[in-house]
Amino acid sequence: MSRVVVAGGAGFLGSHLCERLVARGDDVVCLDDLSTGTETNLLRLEGDPRFTFVVADVSSEVPVEPPVDAVFDLASPASPPAYLARPLETLAAGSEGTRRLLELARRSGARFVLASTSEVYGDPEVHPQPETYRGNVDPVGPRSVYDEAKRFAEALTIAAHRARAVDVGIARIFNTYGPRLSAEDGRVVSNFCVQALRGEPLTVYGDGTQTRSLCYVDDQIDGLLALRDASVTGPVNIGNPDERTVAELAEKVLSITGSRSQVVHRPLPADDPRRRCPDISLARRALGWEPKVTLDDGLARTVAWFRERLAT
Ligand code: UDP
């Protein structure tokens, strides 16, 4: 049994992670400032003696005292509209927030797991992306608030490891979807599911030939837990290499929902990466992990969840 801190625990990934940690017998302290996460995501954990929720912005305080056994740093806005609406807060989360959480891990002798991102590769010129690829990021581009915050968070994390002997693991998380994606935060899977179920047009940005590789949330959490339990420093890509175009994804959502919605095209956001696909050789080798849930199966589960949510 471990005492585990999950910063960003009321978010999409964080809330699934908290549930899985509690289910395996850990005591969980969830920190979240509720800027993009919601207490609704934590309803299943309410009243559980193994679970504590504290409202806190980790960029200004980490109200947890040692000892803890592990610290997960997932505290950041993560969807493009969410981080673009909170540019300075996003940079603070990846710098001051990560620094404070690393300090808690150092004082506790705890393992620290950083939720980094495929966005550190920017608009990649190497495909698929292995961890050794250094990325193509514009430091003053519109996405830089998130990309550079996470790149800095990785730099801080590896520095804490090298200079202060903190036990760290860096996960580079690729696009992940599933129940509890926010209907409002503008990501492709949530937008398409909600639009299809409401009979509204599906908004494909650009010509829809850009690609993403989508990982179902349960697989993603398996990967993060494997990294917590390993002694791998990484960075290690955690994602599903099943690469699809955005247009193909729209068609899939239409067929799974049985919706008669039209597909409309909208302007491509500035700096939208053309292609993205993880090379997960390292995760397979070092963590014995690979995703299991197919896109059809994962989308069906996600659509079922949105259908229920929109009905209430
Ligand atoms: N996208 C789209 N329609 C939408 C939302 C997103 O075509 O309603 C596209 C977006 O331009 C990008 C991809 O889907 O190419 C994934 O976008 P998302 O915001 O989910 O995540 P990103 O990988 O860009 O961070």
Side-chain angles (χ1 to χ4, degrees), residues 30-65:
C30 165
L31 304 177
D32 204 297
D33 69 352
L34 299 178
S35 57
T36 58
T38 67
E39 281 186 274
T40 323
N41 285 342
L42 301 172
L43 280 177
R44 284 206 208 162
L45 289 163
E46 213 176 44
D48 194 306
R50 292 196 187 284
F51 182 72
T52 310
F53 174 49
V54 181
V55 181
D57 172 4
V58 295
S59 305
S60 21
E61 54 161 355
V62 173
V64 180
E65 285 305 314

mmCIF file of all heavy atoms in Angstrom, residues 30-65:
data_model
loop_
_atom_site.group_PDB
_atom_site.id
_atom_site.type_symbol
_atom_site.label_atom_id
_atom_site.label_comp_id
_atom_site.label_asym_id
_atom_site.label_seq_id
_atom_site.Cartn_x
_atom_site.Cartn_y
_atom_site.Cartn_z
ATOM 1 N N CYS A 30 -5.749 13.780 -3.821
ATOM 2 C CA CYS A 30 -5.950 14.435 -5.115
ATOM 3 C C CYS A 30 -5.900 15.946 -4.920
ATOM 4 O O CYS A 30 -6.588 16.490 -4.059
ATOM 5 C CB CYS A 30 -7.319 13.994 -5.645
ATOM 6 S SG CYS A 30 -7.958 14.981 -6.992
ATOM 7 N N LEU A 31 -5.042 16.607 -5.714
ATOM 8 C CA LEU A 31 -4.966 18.071 -5.692
ATOM 9 C C LEU A 31 -5.458 18.589 -7.037
ATOM 10 O O LEU A 31 -5.048 18.075 -8.082
ATOM 11 C CB LEU A 31 -3.517 18.530 -5.491
ATOM 12 C CG LEU A 31 -2.768 18.011 -4.264
ATOM 13 C CD1 LEU A 31 -1.324 18.512 -4.286
ATOM 14 C CD2 LEU A 31 -3.469 18.456 -2.989
ATOM 15 N N ASP A 32 -6.302 19.590 -7.018
ATOM 16 C CA ASP A 32 -6.768 20.158 -8.284
ATOM 17 C C ASP A 32 -7.324 21.546 -7.996
ATOM 18 O O ASP A 32 -7.976 21.755 -6.974
ATOM 19 C CB ASP A 32 -7.871 19.273 -8.893
ATOM 20 C CG ASP A 32 -7.983 19.455 -10.401
ATOM 21 O OD1 ASP A 32 -8.304 20.588 -10.834
ATOM 22 O OD2 ASP A 32 -7.746 18.484 -11.133
ATOM 23 N N ASP A 33 -7.048 22.491 -8.906
ATOM 24 C CA ASP A 33 -7.611 23.839 -8.695
ATOM 25 C C ASP A 33 -8.962 23.999 -9.391
ATOM 26 O O ASP A 33 -9.550 25.078 -9.360
ATOM 27 C CB ASP A 33 -6.627 24.925 -9.162
ATOM 28 C CG ASP A 33 -6.453 24.947 -10.670
ATOM 29 O OD1 ASP A 33 -6.965 24.040 -11.356
ATOM 30 O OD2 ASP A 33 -5.794 25.885 -11.165
ATOM 31 N N LEU A 34 -9.440 22.934 -10.015
ATOM 32 C CA LEU A 34 -10.743 22.906 -10.682
ATOM 33 C C LEU A 34 -10.853 23.947 -11.799
ATOM 34 O O LEU A 34 -11.949 24.379 -12.145
ATOM 35 C CB LEU A 34 -11.884 23.074 -9.654
ATOM 36 C CG LEU A 34 -11.940 21.983 -8.582
ATOM 37 C CD1 LEU A 34 -13.069 22.259 -7.586
ATOM 38 C CD2 LEU A 34 -12.153 20.600 -9.213
ATOM 39 N N SER A 35 -9.710 24.326 -12.385
ATOM 40 C CA SER A 35 -9.778 25.273 -13.503
ATOM 41 C C SER A 35 -10.272 24.565 -14.757
ATOM 42 O O SER A 35 -11.068 25.108 -15.513
ATOM 43 C CB SER A 35 -8.421 25.940 -13.746
ATOM 44 O OG SER A 35 -7.421 24.974 -13.977
ATOM 45 N N THR A 36 -9.803 23.346 -14.980
ATOM 46 C CA THR A 36 -10.357 22.568 -16.099
ATOM 47 C C THR A 36 -10.919 21.225 -15.624
ATOM 48 O O THR A 36 -11.732 20.624 -16.314
ATOM 49 C CB THR A 36 -9.303 22.319 -17.216
ATOM 50 O OG1 THR A 36 -8.186 21.626 -16.657
ATOM 51 C CG2 THR A 36 -8.839 23.629 -17.839
ATOM 52 N N GLY A 37 -10.507 20.747 -14.467
ATOM 53 C CA GLY A 37 -11.094 19.527 -13.897
ATOM 54 C C GLY A 37 -12.407 19.865 -13.191
ATOM 55 O O GLY A 37 -12.713 21.037 -12.963
ATOM 56 N N THR A 38 -13.178 18.826 -12.851
ATOM 57 C CA THR A 38 -14.451 19.066 -12.154
ATOM 58 C C THR A 38 -14.640 18.042 -11.045
ATOM 59 O O THR A 38 -14.168 16.901 -11.144
ATOM 60 C CB THR A 38 -15.670 18.912 -13.105
ATOM 61 O OG1 THR A 38 -15.758 17.538 -13.496
ATOM 62 C CG2 THR A 38 -15.555 19.800 -14.316
ATOM 63 N N GLU A 39 -15.383 18.463 -10.017
ATOM 64 C CA GLU A 39 -15.672 17.527 -8.922
ATOM 65 C C GLU A 39 -16.577 16.388 -9.392
ATOM 66 O O GLU A 39 -16.544 15.302 -8.820
ATOM 67 C CB GLU A 39 -16.296 18.275 -7.743
ATOM 68 C CG GLU A 39 -15.226 18.985 -6.939
ATOM 69 C CD GLU A 39 -15.766 19.621 -5.669
ATOM 70 O OE1 GLU A 39 -16.239 20.758 -5.762
ATOM 71 O OE2 GLU A 39 -15.703 18.954 -4.613
ATOM 72 N N THR A 40 -17.342 16.636 -10.435
ATOM 73 C CA THR A 40 -18.192 15.568 -10.992
ATOM 74 C C THR A 40 -17.344 14.362 -11.394
ATOM 75 O O THR A 40 -17.782 13.213 -11.270
ATOM 76 C CB THR A 40 -18.927 16.090 -12.263
ATOM 77 O OG1 THR A 40 -19.274 17.441 -12.042
ATOM 78 C CG2 THR A 40 -20.121 15.258 -12.610
ATOM 79 N N ASN A 41 -16.131 14.621 -11.868
ATOM 80 C CA ASN A 41 -15.253 13.509 -12.262
ATOM 81 C C ASN A 41 -14.891 12.620 -11.076
ATOM 82 O O ASN A 41 -14.431 11.494 -11.275
ATOM 83 C CB ASN A 41 -13.955 14.055 -12.877
ATOM 84 C CG ASN A 41 -14.149 14.583 -14.289
ATOM 85 O OD1 ASN A 41 -15.143 14.257 -14.934
ATOM 86 N ND2 ASN A 41 -13.215 15.397 -14.754
ATOM 87 N N LEU A 42 -15.062 13.146 -9.857
ATOM 88 C CA LEU A 42 -14.626 12.412 -8.657
ATOM 89 C C LEU A 42 -15.789 11.775 -7.904
ATOM 90 O O LEU A 42 -15.589 11.215 -6.825
ATOM 91 C CB LEU A 42 -13.869 13.359 -7.715
ATOM 92 C CG LEU A 42 -12.621 14.009 -8.326
ATOM 93 C CD1 LEU A 42 -12.060 15.073 -7.393
ATOM 94 C CD2 LEU A 42 -11.558 12.947 -8.615
ATOM 95 N N LEU A 43 -16.988 11.839 -8.494
ATOM 96 C CA LEU A 43 -18.171 11.377 -7.763
ATOM 97 C C LEU A 43 -18.047 9.941 -7.278
ATOM 98 O O LEU A 43 -18.456 9.613 -6.168
ATOM 99 C CB LEU A 43 -19.426 11.511 -8.641
ATOM 100 C CG LEU A 43 -20.013 12.933 -8.713
ATOM 101 C CD1 LEU A 43 -21.200 12.979 -9.649
ATOM 102 C CD2 LEU A 43 -20.376 13.417 -7.313
ATOM 103 N N ARG A 44 -17.442 9.087 -8.102
ATOM 104 C CA ARG A 44 -17.335 7.666 -7.717
ATOM 105 C C ARG A 44 -16.430 7.460 -6.516
ATOM 106 O O ARG A 44 -16.450 6.404 -5.894
ATOM 107 C CB ARG A 44 -16.768 6.859 -8.878
ATOM 108 C CG ARG A 44 -17.763 6.606 -9.958
ATOM 109 C CD ARG A 44 -17.322 5.333 -10.666
ATOM 110 N NE ARG A 44 -17.780 5.358 -12.032
ATOM 111 C CZ ARG A 44 -17.293 4.604 -13.003
ATOM 112 N NH1 ARG A 44 -16.294 3.779 -12.745
ATOM 113 N NH2 ARG A 44 -17.785 4.667 -14.202
ATOM 114 N N LEU A 45 -15.588 8.452 -6.218
ATOM 115 C CA LEU A 45 -14.637 8.303 -5.106
ATOM 116 C C LEU A 45 -15.127 8.985 -3.837
ATOM 117 O O LEU A 45 -14.504 8.851 -2.779
ATOM 118 C CB LEU A 45 -13.284 8.889 -5.510
ATOM 119 C CG LEU A 45 -12.537 8.064 -6.556
ATOM 120 C CD1 LEU A 45 -11.446 8.888 -7.214
ATOM 121 C CD2 LEU A 45 -11.938 6.820 -5.911
ATOM 122 N N GLU A 46 -16.221 9.693 -3.948
ATOM 123 C CA GLU A 46 -16.740 10.443 -2.813
ATOM 124 C C GLU A 46 -17.007 9.516 -1.626
ATOM 125 O O GLU A 46 -17.632 8.466 -1.803
ATOM 126 C CB GLU A 46 -18.053 11.126 -3.226
ATOM 127 C CG GLU A 46 -18.271 12.456 -2.558
ATOM 128 C CD GLU A 46 -19.543 13.114 -3.093
ATOM 129 O OE1 GLU A 46 -20.568 12.402 -3.233
ATOM 130 O OE2 GLU A 46 -19.505 14.310 -3.361
ATOM 131 N N GLY A 47 -16.505 9.889 -0.464
ATOM 132 C CA GLY A 47 -16.760 9.092 0.734
ATOM 133 C C GLY A 47 -15.837 7.902 0.897
ATOM 134 O O GLY A 47 -15.891 7.209 1.920
ATOM 135 N N ASP A 48 -14.983 7.635 -0.070
ATOM 136 C CA ASP A 48 -14.047 6.510 0.060
ATOM 137 C C ASP A 48 -12.946 6.880 1.056
ATOM 138 O O ASP A 48 -12.289 7.913 0.887
ATOM 139 C CB ASP A 48 -13.433 6.182 -1.314
ATOM 140 C CG ASP A 48 -12.729 4.840 -1.311
ATOM 141 O OD1 ASP A 48 -11.857 4.633 -0.436
ATOM 142 O OD2 ASP A 48 -13.055 4.000 -2.150
ATOM 143 N N PRO A 49 -12.752 6.061 2.100
ATOM 144 C CA PRO A 49 -11.761 6.421 3.122
ATOM 145 C C PRO A 49 -10.331 6.478 2.573
ATOM 146 O O PRO A 49 -9.460 7.094 3.189
ATOM 147 C CB PRO A 49 -11.896 5.306 4.166
ATOM 148 C CG PRO A 49 -12.621 4.191 3.486
ATOM 149 C CD PRO A 49 -13.454 4.805 2.401
ATOM 150 N N ARG A 50 -10.096 5.865 1.441
ATOM 151 C CA ARG A 50 -8.748 5.911 0.858
ATOM 152 C C ARG A 50 -8.518 7.164 0.021
ATOM 153 O O ARG A 50 -7.429 7.353 -0.535
ATOM 154 C CB ARG A 50 -8.528 4.706 -0.065
ATOM 155 C CG ARG A 50 -8.472 3.395 0.644
ATOM 156 C CD ARG A 50 -7.868 2.362 -0.294
ATOM 157 N NE ARG A 50 -7.938 1.051 0.271
ATOM 158 C CZ ARG A 50 -7.135 0.619 1.241
ATOM 159 N NH1 ARG A 50 -6.216 1.413 1.738
ATOM 160 N NH2 ARG A 50 -7.277 -0.599 1.710
ATOM 161 N N PHE A 51 -9.553 8.003 -0.116
ATOM 162 C CA PHE A 51 -9.447 9.117 -1.058
ATOM 163 C C PHE A 51 -9.657 10.465 -0.373
ATOM 164 O O PHE A 51 -10.620 10.646 0.367
ATOM 165 C CB PHE A 51 -10.491 8.943 -2.170
ATOM 166 C CG PHE A 51 -10.422 10.030 -3.205
ATOM 167 C CD1 PHE A 51 -9.370 10.083 -4.111
ATOM 168 C CD2 PHE A 51 -11.392 11.024 -3.250
ATOM 169 C CE1 PHE A 51 -9.286 11.099 -5.051
ATOM 170 C CE2 PHE A 51 -11.319 12.036 -4.195
ATOM 171 C CZ PHE A 51 -10.266 12.077 -5.096
ATOM 172 N N THR A 52 -8.760 11.402 -0.607
ATOM 173 C CA THR A 52 -8.891 12.769 -0.081
ATOM 174 C C THR A 52 -8.756 13.740 -1.245
ATOM 175 O O THR A 52 -7.840 13.609 -2.064
ATOM 176 C CB THR A 52 -7.751 13.077 0.917
ATOM 177 O OG1 THR A 52 -7.674 12.010 1.855
ATOM 178 C CG2 THR A 52 -7.985 14.388 1.646
ATOM 179 N N PHE A 53 -9.652 14.713 -1.285
ATOM 180 C CA PHE A 53 -9.573 15.736 -2.323
ATOM 181 C C PHE A 53 -9.303 17.096 -1.696
ATOM 182 O O PHE A 53 -9.986 17.488 -0.754
ATOM 183 C CB PHE A 53 -10.887 15.772 -3.123
ATOM 184 C CG PHE A 53 -10.925 16.910 -4.114
ATOM 185 C CD1 PHE A 53 -9.862 17.137 -4.981
ATOM 186 C CD2 PHE A 53 -12.024 17.763 -4.176
ATOM 187 C CE1 PHE A 53 -9.881 18.189 -5.881
ATOM 188 C CE2 PHE A 53 -12.049 18.810 -5.088
ATOM 189 C CZ PHE A 53 -10.981 19.028 -5.937
ATOM 190 N N VAL A 54 -8.287 17.773 -2.200
ATOM 191 C CA VAL A 54 -7.943 19.111 -1.705
ATOM 192 C C VAL A 54 -7.920 20.074 -2.892
ATOM 193 O O VAL A 54 -7.226 19.809 -3.885
ATOM 194 C CB VAL A 54 -6.550 19.113 -1.018
ATOM 195 C CG1 VAL A 54 -6.218 20.500 -0.481
ATOM 196 C CG2 VAL A 54 -6.483 18.057 0.082
ATOM 197 N N VAL A 55 -8.684 21.160 -2.791
ATOM 198 C CA VAL A 55 -8.637 22.174 -3.854
ATOM 199 C C VAL A 55 -7.358 22.983 -3.673
ATOM 200 O O VAL A 55 -7.154 23.611 -2.633
ATOM 201 C CB VAL A 55 -9.867 23.111 -3.792
ATOM 202 C CG1 VAL A 55 -9.792 24.153 -4.927
ATOM 203 C CG2 VAL A 55 -11.156 22.318 -3.906
ATOM 204 N N ALA A 56 -6.474 22.918 -4.655
ATOM 205 C CA ALA A 56 -5.214 23.658 -4.561
ATOM 206 C C ALA A 56 -4.645 23.875 -5.956
ATOM 207 O O ALA A 56 -4.732 23.003 -6.815
ATOM 208 C CB ALA A 56 -4.200 22.873 -3.719
ATOM 209 N N ASP A 57 -4.072 25.052 -6.146
ATOM 210 C CA ASP A 57 -3.335 25.346 -7.375
ATOM 211 C C ASP A 57 -1.870 25.060 -7.075
ATOM 212 O O ASP A 57 -1.226 25.815 -6.336
ATOM 213 C CB ASP A 57 -3.555 26.812 -7.746
ATOM 214 C CG ASP A 57 -2.659 27.246 -8.902
ATOM 215 O OD1 ASP A 57 -1.935 26.388 -9.460
ATOM 216 O OD2 ASP A 57 -2.692 28.440 -9.243
ATOM 217 N N VAL A 58 -1.345 23.990 -7.629
ATOM 218 C CA VAL A 58 0.019 23.570 -7.266
ATOM 219 C C VAL A 58 1.076 24.567 -7.720
ATOM 220 O O VAL A 58 2.223 24.498 -7.283
ATOM 221 C CB VAL A 58 0.366 22.151 -7.790
ATOM 222 C CG1 VAL A 58 -0.511 21.106 -7.118
ATOM 223 C CG2 VAL A 58 0.282 22.068 -9.301
ATOM 224 N N SER A 59 0.710 25.524 -8.574
ATOM 225 C CA SER A 59 1.664 26.569 -8.939
ATOM 226 C C SER A 59 1.933 27.494 -7.762
ATOM 227 O O SER A 59 2.960 28.163 -7.719
ATOM 228 C CB SER A 59 1.133 27.421 -10.093
ATOM 229 O OG SER A 59 0.801 26.608 -11.176
ATOM 230 N N SER A 60 0.998 27.568 -6.807
ATOM 231 C CA SER A 60 1.254 28.412 -5.636
ATOM 232 C C SER A 60 1.414 27.648 -4.336
ATOM 233 O O SER A 60 2.026 28.166 -3.402
ATOM 234 C CB SER A 60 0.190 29.498 -5.459
ATOM 235 O OG SER A 60 -0.979 29.216 -6.101
ATOM 236 N N GLU A 61 0.877 26.441 -4.229
ATOM 237 C CA GLU A 61 1.080 25.676 -2.994
ATOM 238 C C GLU A 61 0.819 24.189 -3.229
ATOM 239 O O GLU A 61 -0.027 23.827 -4.038
ATOM 240 C CB GLU A 61 0.137 26.163 -1.872
ATOM 241 C CG GLU A 61 -1.309 26.153 -2.297
ATOM 242 C CD GLU A 61 -2.310 26.171 -1.151
ATOM 243 O OE1 GLU A 61 -1.907 26.095 0.034
ATOM 244 O OE2 GLU A 61 -3.507 26.222 -1.449
ATOM 245 N N VAL A 62 1.556 23.367 -2.496
ATOM 246 C CA VAL A 62 1.297 21.921 -2.499
ATOM 247 C C VAL A 62 1.034 21.539 -1.035
ATOM 248 O O VAL A 62 1.960 21.251 -0.281
ATOM 249 C CB VAL A 62 2.485 21.127 -3.082
ATOM 250 C CG1 VAL A 62 2.271 19.628 -2.930
ATOM 251 C CG2 VAL A 62 2.656 21.450 -4.574
ATOM 252 N N PRO A 63 -0.239 21.600 -0.629
ATOM 253 C CA PRO A 63 -0.559 21.429 0.788
ATOM 254 C C PRO A 63 -0.580 19.960 1.229
ATOM 255 O O PRO A 63 -1.585 19.464 1.723
ATOM 256 C CB PRO A 63 -1.945 22.076 0.913
ATOM 257 C CG PRO A 63 -2.553 21.902 -0.445
ATOM 258 C CD PRO A 63 -1.434 21.878 -1.439
ATOM 259 N N VAL A 64 0.535 19.284 1.046
ATOM 260 C CA VAL A 64 0.673 17.879 1.469
ATOM 261 C C VAL A 64 2.012 17.756 2.175
ATOM 262 O O VAL A 64 3.021 18.259 1.672
ATOM 263 C CB VAL A 64 0.657 16.907 0.270
ATOM 264 C CG1 VAL A 64 0.801 15.465 0.743
ATOM 265 C CG2 VAL A 64 -0.603 17.066 -0.571
ATOM 266 N N GLU A 65 2.028 17.095 3.311
ATOM 267 C CA GLU A 65 3.297 16.881 4.033
ATOM 268 C C GLU A 65 3.807 15.468 3.766
ATOM 269 O O GLU A 65 3.025 14.541 3.621
ATOM 270 C CB GLU A 65 3.067 17.072 5.542
ATOM 271 C CG GLU A 65 2.923 18.524 5.969
ATOM 272 C CD GLU A 65 4.102 19.389 5.526
ATOM 273 O OE1 GLU A 65 5.268 18.961 5.700
ATOM 274 O OE2 GLU A 65 3.862 20.488 4.975
#
